[in-house]
Short mmCIF file of all heavy atoms in Angstrom, two decimals:
data_model
loop_
_atom_site.label_atom_id
_atom_site.label_comp_id
_atom_site.label_asym_id
_atom_site.label_seq_id
_atom_site.Cartn_x
_atom_site.Cartn_y
_atom_site.Cartn_z
N ALA A 58 -58.39 -18.28 81.68
CA ALA A 58 -57.64 -18.67 80.48
C ALA A 58 -56.92 -17.44 79.92
O ALA A 58 -57.47 -16.72 79.08
CB ALA A 58 -58.59 -19.27 79.45
N PRO A 59 -55.70 -17.15 80.37
CA PRO A 59 -54.99 -15.98 79.86
C PRO A 59 -54.71 -16.12 78.36
O PRO A 59 -54.36 -17.20 77.88
CB PRO A 59 -53.67 -16.00 80.65
CG PRO A 59 -53.97 -16.78 81.88
CD PRO A 59 -54.95 -17.82 81.45
N SER A 60 -54.90 -15.00 77.65
CA SER A 60 -54.63 -14.99 76.21
C SER A 60 -53.19 -14.55 75.97
O SER A 60 -52.81 -13.44 76.36
CB SER A 60 -55.58 -14.02 75.50
OG SER A 60 -55.05 -13.71 74.22
N ILE A 61 -52.42 -15.40 75.28
CA ILE A 61 -51.01 -15.05 75.04
C ILE A 61 -50.86 -14.04 73.90
O ILE A 61 -49.75 -13.66 73.57
CB ILE A 61 -50.13 -16.30 74.79
CG1 ILE A 61 -50.69 -17.14 73.64
CG2 ILE A 61 -49.99 -17.12 76.06
CD1 ILE A 61 -49.72 -18.22 73.16
N LEU A 62 -51.99 -13.58 73.37
CA LEU A 62 -51.93 -12.51 72.36
C LEU A 62 -51.25 -11.27 72.94
O LEU A 62 -50.62 -10.50 72.22
CB LEU A 62 -53.35 -12.16 71.90
CG LEU A 62 -53.50 -11.16 70.76
CD1 LEU A 62 -52.89 -11.71 69.47
CD2 LEU A 62 -54.97 -10.83 70.51
N SER A 63 -51.38 -11.08 74.25
CA SER A 63 -50.79 -9.90 74.88
C SER A 63 -49.37 -10.15 75.40
O SER A 63 -48.77 -9.27 76.01
CB SER A 63 -51.66 -9.43 76.05
OG SER A 63 -52.91 -8.99 75.56
N HIS A 85 -55.10 -19.60 76.55
CA HIS A 85 -55.96 -19.22 75.42
C HIS A 85 -55.06 -18.75 74.27
O HIS A 85 -54.28 -17.82 74.43
CB HIS A 85 -56.92 -18.11 75.86
CG HIS A 85 -57.92 -17.71 74.83
ND1 HIS A 85 -59.11 -18.38 74.63
CD2 HIS A 85 -57.92 -16.68 73.94
CE1 HIS A 85 -59.80 -17.79 73.67
NE2 HIS A 85 -59.10 -16.76 73.23
N ILE A 86 -55.20 -19.42 73.13
CA ILE A 86 -54.32 -19.11 71.98
C ILE A 86 -55.18 -18.57 70.84
O ILE A 86 -56.06 -19.27 70.32
CB ILE A 86 -53.55 -20.38 71.54
CG1 ILE A 86 -52.71 -20.91 72.72
CG2 ILE A 86 -52.66 -20.07 70.33
CD1 ILE A 86 -51.92 -22.19 72.43
N ASP A 87 -54.94 -17.32 70.47
CA ASP A 87 -55.72 -16.65 69.44
C ASP A 87 -55.09 -16.83 68.08
O ASP A 87 -54.01 -16.30 67.80
CB ASP A 87 -55.84 -15.16 69.78
CG ASP A 87 -56.75 -14.92 70.97
OD1 ASP A 87 -57.91 -15.36 70.90
OD2 ASP A 87 -56.31 -14.31 71.95
N VAL A 88 -55.81 -17.56 67.21
CA VAL A 88 -55.32 -17.80 65.85
C VAL A 88 -56.12 -16.89 64.91
O VAL A 88 -57.34 -16.99 64.83
CB VAL A 88 -55.52 -19.28 65.46
CG1 VAL A 88 -55.13 -19.51 64.01
CG2 VAL A 88 -54.72 -20.20 66.39
N MET A 89 -55.42 -15.99 64.22
CA MET A 89 -56.08 -15.03 63.33
C MET A 89 -55.47 -15.13 61.94
O MET A 89 -54.25 -15.26 61.81
CB MET A 89 -55.90 -13.61 63.86
CG MET A 89 -56.38 -13.44 65.29
SD MET A 89 -56.22 -11.73 65.83
CE MET A 89 -56.76 -11.87 67.53
N VAL A 94 -60.60 -11.93 60.44
CA VAL A 94 -60.30 -10.77 61.29
C VAL A 94 -59.09 -10.03 60.72
O VAL A 94 -58.26 -10.65 60.06
CB VAL A 94 -60.01 -11.19 62.77
CG1 VAL A 94 -61.26 -11.67 63.46
CG2 VAL A 94 -58.92 -12.24 62.84
N ASN A 96 -56.18 -9.20 61.40
CA ASN A 96 -54.90 -9.37 62.10
C ASN A 96 -54.43 -10.78 61.82
O ASN A 96 -55.23 -11.67 61.51
CB ASN A 96 -55.12 -9.15 63.61
CG ASN A 96 -53.82 -8.90 64.37
OD1 ASN A 96 -52.74 -8.85 63.79
ND2 ASN A 96 -53.93 -8.77 65.68
N HIS A 118 -58.54 -20.66 69.94
CA HIS A 118 -59.63 -19.84 69.42
C HIS A 118 -59.33 -19.52 67.96
O HIS A 118 -58.46 -18.71 67.66
CB HIS A 118 -59.70 -18.56 70.28
CG HIS A 118 -60.75 -17.59 69.88
ND1 HIS A 118 -60.83 -16.32 70.40
CD2 HIS A 118 -61.79 -17.69 69.00
CE1 HIS A 118 -61.85 -15.68 69.88
NE2 HIS A 118 -62.45 -16.49 69.01
N LEU A 119 -60.07 -20.18 67.07
CA LEU A 119 -59.78 -20.07 65.63
C LEU A 119 -60.60 -18.95 64.99
O LEU A 119 -61.79 -19.12 64.71
CB LEU A 119 -60.09 -21.40 64.95
CG LEU A 119 -59.23 -22.59 65.38
CD1 LEU A 119 -59.77 -23.89 64.77
CD2 LEU A 119 -57.77 -22.38 64.99
N MET A 120 -59.96 -17.83 64.77
CA MET A 120 -60.60 -16.71 64.07
C MET A 120 -60.14 -16.77 62.62
O MET A 120 -59.40 -15.91 62.14
CB MET A 120 -60.23 -15.39 64.75
CG MET A 120 -60.93 -15.21 66.10
SD MET A 120 -60.13 -13.99 67.15
CE MET A 120 -58.87 -15.02 67.90
N HIS A 142 -65.66 -20.04 64.90
CA HIS A 142 -66.67 -18.99 64.88
C HIS A 142 -67.85 -19.44 64.04
O HIS A 142 -67.66 -19.93 62.92
CB HIS A 142 -66.07 -17.69 64.32
CG HIS A 142 -65.55 -16.80 65.39
ND1 HIS A 142 -66.27 -15.75 65.90
CD2 HIS A 142 -64.40 -16.87 66.09
CE1 HIS A 142 -65.56 -15.17 66.86
NE2 HIS A 142 -64.43 -15.83 67.00
N SER A 166 -67.98 -20.00 68.81
CA SER A 166 -67.89 -18.61 69.26
C SER A 166 -68.80 -17.71 68.46
O SER A 166 -69.02 -17.93 67.26
CB SER A 166 -66.43 -18.14 69.12
OG SER A 166 -66.34 -16.81 69.54
N ASN A 168 -69.60 -13.61 67.49
CA ASN A 168 -69.24 -12.19 67.52
C ASN A 168 -70.32 -11.41 68.27
O ASN A 168 -71.46 -11.87 68.40
CB ASN A 168 -69.15 -11.65 66.09
CG ASN A 168 -67.83 -12.01 65.44
OD1 ASN A 168 -66.86 -12.32 66.11
ND2 ASN A 168 -67.81 -11.95 64.12
N LEU A 187 -68.34 -19.68 73.35
CA LEU A 187 -67.51 -18.50 73.61
C LEU A 187 -68.25 -17.25 73.14
O LEU A 187 -68.54 -17.09 71.95
CB LEU A 187 -66.17 -18.63 72.88
CG LEU A 187 -65.27 -17.40 72.78
CD1 LEU A 187 -64.97 -16.81 74.14
CD2 LEU A 187 -63.96 -17.76 72.10
N MET A 189 -68.04 -13.47 72.46
CA MET A 189 -67.07 -12.38 72.28
C MET A 189 -67.64 -11.09 72.88
O MET A 189 -68.75 -10.68 72.54
CB MET A 189 -66.76 -12.15 70.80
CG MET A 189 -65.94 -13.26 70.14
SD MET A 189 -64.38 -13.66 70.97
CE MET A 189 -63.53 -12.07 70.95
N SER A 190 -66.85 -10.48 73.75
CA SER A 190 -67.28 -9.22 74.37
C SER A 190 -66.54 -8.03 73.77
O SER A 190 -66.64 -6.91 74.29
CB SER A 190 -67.11 -9.30 75.89
OG SER A 190 -65.92 -9.94 76.25
N VAL A 191 -65.82 -8.27 72.66
CA VAL A 191 -65.28 -7.22 71.80
C VAL A 191 -65.39 -7.78 70.38
O VAL A 191 -65.59 -8.98 70.20
CB VAL A 191 -63.78 -6.91 72.09
CG1 VAL A 191 -63.59 -6.36 73.50
CG2 VAL A 191 -62.88 -8.12 71.85
N ASN A 192 -65.24 -6.92 69.38
CA ASN A 192 -65.16 -7.44 68.02
C ASN A 192 -63.77 -8.03 67.85
O ASN A 192 -62.77 -7.35 68.11
CB ASN A 192 -65.43 -6.31 67.02
CG ASN A 192 -66.89 -5.92 67.04
OD1 ASN A 192 -67.76 -6.69 66.62
ND2 ASN A 192 -67.19 -4.75 67.58
N PRO A 193 -63.67 -9.31 67.46
CA PRO A 193 -62.38 -9.99 67.50
C PRO A 193 -61.35 -9.41 66.53
O PRO A 193 -61.70 -8.83 65.51
CB PRO A 193 -62.74 -11.43 67.11
CG PRO A 193 -64.01 -11.35 66.37
CD PRO A 193 -64.75 -10.19 66.95
N GLY A 194 -60.09 -9.57 66.89
CA GLY A 194 -58.99 -9.12 66.04
C GLY A 194 -57.82 -8.56 66.82
O GLY A 194 -56.68 -8.71 66.41
N PHE A 195 -58.13 -7.94 67.95
CA PHE A 195 -57.07 -7.26 68.69
C PHE A 195 -57.29 -7.39 70.20
O PHE A 195 -58.43 -7.44 70.66
CB PHE A 195 -57.02 -5.76 68.33
CG PHE A 195 -56.85 -5.53 66.86
CD1 PHE A 195 -57.94 -5.32 66.04
CD2 PHE A 195 -55.58 -5.58 66.28
CE1 PHE A 195 -57.80 -5.14 64.67
CE2 PHE A 195 -55.42 -5.40 64.91
CZ PHE A 195 -56.53 -5.18 64.10
N GLY A 196 -56.18 -7.39 70.93
CA GLY A 196 -56.26 -7.33 72.38
C GLY A 196 -56.44 -5.88 72.81
O GLY A 196 -56.33 -4.96 72.00
N GLY A 197 -56.74 -5.69 74.07
CA GLY A 197 -56.77 -4.34 74.64
C GLY A 197 -57.98 -3.49 74.28
O GLY A 197 -57.95 -2.27 74.44
N GLN A 198 -59.07 -4.12 73.80
CA GLN A 198 -60.26 -3.33 73.47
C GLN A 198 -61.20 -3.25 74.68
O GLN A 198 -61.07 -4.00 75.64
CB GLN A 198 -61.01 -3.98 72.31
CG GLN A 198 -60.19 -4.14 71.05
CD GLN A 198 -61.05 -4.73 69.93
OE1 GLN A 198 -61.87 -4.06 69.33
NE2 GLN A 198 -60.86 -6.02 69.67
N ARG A 199 -62.18 -2.33 74.57
CA ARG A 199 -63.13 -2.15 75.69
C ARG A 199 -64.25 -3.16 75.64
O ARG A 199 -64.82 -3.43 74.58
CB ARG A 199 -63.74 -0.75 75.62
CG ARG A 199 -62.78 0.32 76.11
CD ARG A 199 -63.41 1.66 75.88
NE ARG A 199 -64.58 1.80 76.75
CZ ARG A 199 -64.81 2.86 77.49
NH1 ARG A 199 -63.96 3.87 77.48
NH2 ARG A 199 -65.89 2.94 78.24
N PHE A 200 -64.58 -3.67 76.80
CA PHE A 200 -65.69 -4.61 76.99
C PHE A 200 -67.00 -3.98 76.51
O PHE A 200 -67.31 -2.84 76.86
CB PHE A 200 -65.77 -4.94 78.48
CG PHE A 200 -66.89 -5.85 78.87
CD1 PHE A 200 -66.77 -7.22 78.73
CD2 PHE A 200 -68.07 -5.34 79.41
CE1 PHE A 200 -67.80 -8.07 79.11
CE2 PHE A 200 -69.11 -6.18 79.78
CZ PHE A 200 -68.98 -7.55 79.63
N VAL A 224 -66.11 -16.18 78.11
CA VAL A 224 -66.24 -14.80 77.64
C VAL A 224 -64.84 -14.28 77.32
O VAL A 224 -63.87 -14.60 78.02
CB VAL A 224 -67.00 -13.93 78.68
CG1 VAL A 224 -66.22 -13.76 79.98
CG2 VAL A 224 -67.37 -12.57 78.12
N ASP A 225 -64.73 -13.47 76.27
CA ASP A 225 -63.42 -13.07 75.76
C ASP A 225 -63.46 -11.65 75.21
O ASP A 225 -64.22 -11.37 74.29
CB ASP A 225 -63.03 -14.07 74.65
CG ASP A 225 -61.66 -13.80 74.04
OD1 ASP A 225 -60.93 -12.93 74.52
OD2 ASP A 225 -61.33 -14.50 73.06
N GLY A 226 -62.64 -10.78 75.81
CA GLY A 226 -62.49 -9.42 75.31
C GLY A 226 -62.76 -8.38 76.37
O GLY A 226 -63.87 -8.26 76.87
N GLY A 227 -61.70 -7.67 76.76
CA GLY A 227 -61.86 -6.58 77.73
C GLY A 227 -62.18 -7.06 79.14
O GLY A 227 -62.80 -6.31 79.91
N ILE A 228 -61.79 -8.28 79.48
CA ILE A 228 -62.08 -8.80 80.82
C ILE A 228 -60.95 -8.44 81.78
O ILE A 228 -59.76 -8.65 81.48
CB ILE A 228 -62.27 -10.35 80.78
CG1 ILE A 228 -63.40 -10.74 79.82
CG2 ILE A 228 -62.53 -10.89 82.19
CD1 ILE A 228 -64.79 -10.23 80.18
N SER A 229 -61.33 -7.94 82.96
CA SER A 229 -60.35 -7.52 83.97
C SER A 229 -60.97 -7.76 85.34
O SER A 229 -62.17 -8.05 85.44
CB SER A 229 -60.05 -6.02 83.80
OG SER A 229 -61.20 -5.29 84.19
N VAL A 245 -61.47 -15.32 79.71
CA VAL A 245 -60.25 -15.08 78.93
C VAL A 245 -59.81 -13.66 79.23
O VAL A 245 -60.64 -12.75 79.29
CB VAL A 245 -60.53 -15.22 77.41
CG1 VAL A 245 -59.28 -14.87 76.60
CG2 VAL A 245 -61.01 -16.62 77.07
N SER A 246 -58.52 -13.49 79.43
CA SER A 246 -58.04 -12.14 79.66
C SER A 246 -56.61 -12.03 79.15
O SER A 246 -55.77 -12.88 79.44
CB SER A 246 -58.10 -11.83 81.16
OG SER A 246 -57.63 -10.52 81.40
N GLY A 247 -56.36 -11.00 78.35
CA GLY A 247 -55.02 -10.81 77.78
C GLY A 247 -54.31 -9.64 78.40
O GLY A 247 -53.44 -9.80 79.27
N SER A 248 -54.71 -8.44 78.01
CA SER A 248 -53.97 -7.25 78.46
C SER A 248 -53.99 -7.08 79.98
O SER A 248 -52.97 -6.74 80.58
CB SER A 248 -54.47 -5.99 77.75
OG SER A 248 -55.86 -5.98 77.71
N ALA A 249 -55.13 -7.34 80.62
CA ALA A 249 -55.20 -7.13 82.09
C ALA A 249 -54.19 -8.03 82.80
O ALA A 249 -53.58 -7.63 83.79
CB ALA A 249 -56.61 -7.41 82.60
N ILE A 250 -53.99 -9.24 82.28
CA ILE A 250 -53.05 -10.17 82.93
C ILE A 250 -51.61 -9.81 82.60
O ILE A 250 -50.76 -9.72 83.49
CB ILE A 250 -53.37 -11.64 82.53
CG1 ILE A 250 -54.66 -12.08 83.23
CG2 ILE A 250 -52.21 -12.57 82.87
CD1 ILE A 250 -55.13 -13.47 82.92
N PHE A 251 -51.33 -9.56 81.32
CA PHE A 251 -49.92 -9.32 80.97
C PHE A 251 -49.43 -7.94 81.39
O PHE A 251 -48.25 -7.76 81.65
CB PHE A 251 -49.69 -9.61 79.48
CG PHE A 251 -49.58 -11.09 79.23
CD1 PHE A 251 -50.68 -11.84 78.86
CD2 PHE A 251 -48.37 -11.75 79.43
CE1 PHE A 251 -50.58 -13.22 78.68
CE2 PHE A 251 -48.26 -13.12 79.26
CZ PHE A 251 -49.37 -13.86 78.88
N GLN A 252 -50.34 -6.97 81.48
CA GLN A 252 -49.91 -5.65 81.97
C GLN A 252 -49.61 -5.68 83.47
O GLN A 252 -48.95 -4.78 83.99
CB GLN A 252 -50.99 -4.59 81.70
CG GLN A 252 -50.97 -4.07 80.28
CD GLN A 252 -52.22 -3.28 79.92
OE1 GLN A 252 -53.02 -2.94 80.79
NE2 GLN A 252 -52.39 -3.01 78.65
C1 DX5 B 379 -59.57 -10.82 70.60
C2 DX5 B 379 -59.04 -12.10 71.20
C3 DX5 B 379 -58.91 -12.06 72.68
C4 DX5 B 379 -57.96 -11.02 73.18
C5 DX5 B 379 -58.31 -10.70 74.60
O1 DX5 B 379 -59.88 -11.04 69.27
O2 DX5 B 379 -59.89 -13.18 70.88
O3 DX5 B 379 -58.58 -13.35 73.20
O4 DX5 B 379 -56.63 -11.43 73.15
O5 DX5 B 379 -57.49 -9.66 75.00
P1 DX5 B 379 -57.99 -8.55 76.03
O6 DX5 B 379 -58.22 -9.26 77.33
O7 DX5 B 379 -56.85 -7.59 76.08
O8 DX5 B 379 -59.25 -7.97 75.48
#
Side-chain angles (χ1 to χ4, degrees):
S60 162
I61 56 168
L62 186 64
S63 295
H85 185 84
I86 302 179
D87 289 304
V88 175
M89 304 183 183
V94 289
N96 197 2
H118 179 190
L119 296 172
M120 287 161 275
H142 267 262
S166 180
N168 280 340
L187 168 54
M189 289 306 302
S190 40
V191 297
N192 288 291
F195 304 95
Q198 302 183 76
R199 283 175 67 132
F200 178 82
V224 66
D225 181 7
I228 302 297
S229 69
V245 176
S246 180
S248 44
I250 288 179
F251 282 94
Q252 279 167 11

